[in-house]
Amino acid sequence: MAAMDFSFSSMFLLLVFLLPISSFAEIRLTEIRNDNRPIIPFDVFGFSHGGRLELNVSRLELSDPNPDLDLSKAGFFLCTRESWLHVIQQLEEGEISCALQSDLVKPVYTFNSLKGSDRFDVLYSESDADQYTLVFANCLQQLKVSMDVRSAMYNLEGKNGGRDYLSAGKTILPRIYFVFSLIYFSLAVVWIHVLYKKRLTVYGIHFFMLAVVILKALNLLCEAEDKSYIKRTGSAHGWDVLFYIFSFLKGITLFTLIVLIGTGWSFLKPYLQDKEKKVLMIVIPLQVVANIAQVVIDETGPFEQDWVTWKQVFLLVDVICCCAVLFPIVWSIKNLREAARTDGKAAVNLMKLTLFRQYYIVVICYIYFTRVVVYALETITSYRYLWTSVVAGELATLAFYAFTGYKFKPEAHNPYFVVDDEEEEAAAEALKLEDEFEL
């Protein structure tokens, strides 16, 4: 039974190594109560050659005070992803009975050094640059542990040895987020100019687009400040609250915008059908759940027993939202195809059909890139270059916003409604060829 528990915990820690971690290893306060898990992972952090770990444990209580217990089998250590794969192999082959016995891990503190105390403080220096996970191991099956843990990992940078609480590879994120926030604020100014210039042909959805861009800019600005304070002090100083608020609003408005454009609201019709309203009623609550899951993931960490569950909830809900917003676009494409064959305005509807097909493809590409490609980049990229996945995701999002604004901007002479006879005949012929091709 003990071997099975340890094997499960080993695989759980491996999953923690493989999953992209949202937390940035700022100063964390963790309470562990009557816990007998063999493995408890804490934060993941990329050390440079001047890395430090401050570990302060207080109110330490052991369920079994037996002095004959080998407390060297309980304690904290640092381990890389690659090393942990070999540690698991050592455990499975019986070379060692406890992860702390492996020469592939770096012990930070073991409980045989307690000498009757209920607290200890450790300052651990790490000169080997790599990405490490702080782990607590308890190889004594009968032992339950309670303790308050304060952990802080940082790198010493510059001549003065200033502390940088952001992991190596993420330390430039404040500047990246700030630059992208300026880009979106500039886009908002450009869009306001467009709306003013074309004010006679502006629909309500164009103002909704402006709100989405502004919320995105504010979200990035708050994220830049959030990471900037964490980088310098190890704490967000309340900026994380604003970040979560604007992230929540940005997520809801973006998915709502995709649904509204996909249904043709404002462009094709001034109302939503019941099935389209149901999509919005599904997407918005799911976005609430996804944002709650994201907050839990960011504010706790892998040491929580339900951390992986919340991670899976977030990924599942995000995938469902991405799939749900595609349905209205498919419905619009279907309706336009039918209208192009029946109402005698083949060219008008064919051009609209082409536009909505393009938008459908772009939405799929955007979802695939930001959910799959960026996720893969986070997983496979060296810890030193984790910022590249953020840049890739933000560039894809920027391209998506720019495409949406350009294709659905207000037009004084809308090309969809100004069609001559030659275009009408060409469109009818195109629809005829399309029918033959489908047959």
Side-chain angles (χ1 to χ4, degrees):
M1 184 67 180
M4 186 180 296
D5 288 343
F6 199 90
S7 176
F8 175 79
S9 298
S10 299
M11 296 310 296
F12 169 75
L13 183 56
L14 180 60
L15 182 62
V16 170
F17 276 117
L18 294 176
L19 284 173
I21 304 296
S22 307
S23 65
F24 289 81
E26 63 267 26
I27 298 173
R28 288 203 178 273
L29 302 174
T30 311
E31 292 185 359
I32 304 294
R33 293 291 178 264
N34 294 319
D35 202 319
N36 64 346
R37 280 180 289 170
I39 292 290
I40 303 177
F42 286 78
D43 277 324
V44 179
F45 192 79
F47 284 117
S48 64
H49 292 289
R52 296 288 187 276
L53 162 64
E54 289 182 4
L55 183 63
N56 311 104
V57 177
S58 59
R59 299 176 63 187
L60 176 61
E61 295 181 7
L62 305 179
S63 62
D64 189 348
N66 187 346
D68 296 330
L69 282 176
D70 184 5
L71 293 180
S72 65
K73 293 185 176 181
F76 292 87
F77 67 88
L78 290 171
C79 187
T80 64
R81 178 192 302 182
E82 182 180 355
S83 296
W84 186 249
L85 293 172
H86 294 293
V87 172
I88 292 176
Q89 185 177 357
Q90 289 178 330
L91 291 166
E92 290 176 345
E93 294 177 355
E95 297 179 19
I96 56 175
S97 60
C98 181
L100 283 164
Q101 296 172 338
S102 174
D103 56 356
L104 299 173
V105 305
K106 299 192 174 187
V108 175
Y109 190 91
T110 52
F111 284 5
N112 59 320
S113 303
L114 284 171
K115 300 185 183 342
S117 175
D118 68 344
R119 62 177 300 119
F120 61 85
D121 303 295
V122 178
L123 177 60
Y124 184 91
S125 299
E126 181 53 66
S127 58
D128 294 332
D130 209 331
Q131 182 169 275
Y132 293 86
T133 299
L134 176 63
V135 183
F136 174 74
N138 176 12
C139 302
L140 304 171
Q141 183 183 5
Q142 73 276 25
L143 187 67
K144 292 183 179 180
V145 179
S146 298
M147 56 184 170
D148 292 344
V149 180
R150 178 190 180 275
S151 60
M153 290 188 277
Y154 53 87
N155 291 309
L156 299 179
E157 303 292 344
K159 295 181 180 179
N160 297 327
R163 295 184 178 187
D164 184 350
Y165 287 92
L166 284 183
S167 175
K170 296 181 178 179
T171 187
I172 65 171
L173 285 184
R175 280 175 284 175
I176 290 174
Y177 286 128
F178 182 70
V179 169
F180 275 103
S181 72
L182 291 181
I183 292 174
Y184 279 99
F185 277 122
S186 300
L187 280 180
V189 172
V190 171
W191 191 246
I192 290 172
H193 174 72
V194 170
L195 296 185
Y196 179 77
K197 189 176 180 181
K198 304 292 182 67
R199 55 188 178 276
L200 297 178
T201 54
V202 169
Y203 290 110
I205 201 167
H206 293 122
F207 292 106
F208 196 83
M209 289 179 180
L210 175 62
V212 172
V213 173
I214 292 175
L215 286 172
K216 176 65 176 176
L218 291 172
N219 174 240
L220 287 168
L221 180 62
C222 291
E223 192 159 11
E225 287 297 322
D226 177 36
K227 301 302 177 286
S228 178
Y229 272 93
I230 291 174
K231 176 183 172 71
R232 299 195 308 270
T233 67
S235 174
H237 292 272
W239 281 99
D240 53 339
V241 177
L242 286 175
F243 162 69
Y244 290 131
I245 291 173
F246 285 116
S247 181
F248 168 74
L249 294 174
K250 181 261 300 180
I252 287 181
T253 54
L254 177 59
F255 277 98
T256 302
L257 176 64
I258 295 174
V259 171
L260 292 176
I261 290 178
T263 60
W265 179 72
S266 281
F267 296 109
L268 305 180
K269 56 189 180 182
Y271 59 89
L272 295 178
Q273 297 178 358
D274 288 340
K275 62 181 180 180
E276 295 162 350
K277 292 178 181 178
K278 288 178 181 177
V279 172
L280 282 175
M281 291 174 65
I282 293 172
V283 168
I284 293 177
L286 283 177
Q287 275 294 296
V288 174
V289 173
N291 278 273
I292 292 173
Q294 186 63 59
V295 171
V296 173
I297 292 168
D298 287 348
E299 292 302 308
T300 57
F303 57 83
E304 291 286 349
Q305 297 188 35
D306 297 328
W307 182 84
V308 170
T309 301
W310 279 106
K311 188 80 174 179
Q312 292 170 339
V313 166
F314 172 73
L315 294 175
L316 176 62
V317 170
D318 198 41
V319 169
I320 293 174
C321 285
C322 292
C323 293
V325 297
L326 294 176
F327 285 108
I329 307 177
V330 174
W331 295 334
S332 292
I333 291 173
K334 181 181 177 181
N335 293 336
L336 286 169
R337 183 183 291 116
E338 293 173 352
R341 298 192 180 105
T342 59
D343 68 0
K345 297 179 180 179
V348 173
N349 289 299
L350 183 62
M351 295 182 74
K352 292 178 183 177
L353 181 60
T354 302
L355 174 61
F356 276 81
R357 279 175 175 167
Q358 291 176 352
Y359 194 63
Y360 177 72
I361 293 171
V362 169
V363 169
I364 289 179
C365 292
Y366 167 69
I367 290 172
Y368 177 80
F369 191 90
T370 55
R371 269 63 180 179
V372 179
V373 176
V374 171
Y375 184 88
L377 282 174
E378 288 184 59
T379 305
I380 65 176
T381 304
S382 168
Y383 77 99
R384 293 179 178 275
Y385 305 104
L386 287 175
W387 58 270
T388 57
S389 62
V390 174
V391 172
E394 291 300 335
L395 285 175
T397 303
L398 180 61
F400 177 71
Y401 276 55
F403 174 86
T404 302
Y406 178 76
K407 286 294 183 178
F408 295 97
K409 63 182 181 294
E411 289 287 353
H413 301 287
N414 198 316
Y416 306 134
F417 302 102
V418 183
V419 182
D420 57 28
D421 293 338
E422 291 182 2
E423 290 176 316
E424 190 70 39
E425 292 175 3
E429 185 65 26
L431 286 170
K432 182 178 178 182
L433 290 174
E434 182 182 341
D435 289 339
E436 293 177 355
F437 179 77
E438 289 179 353
L439 291 174

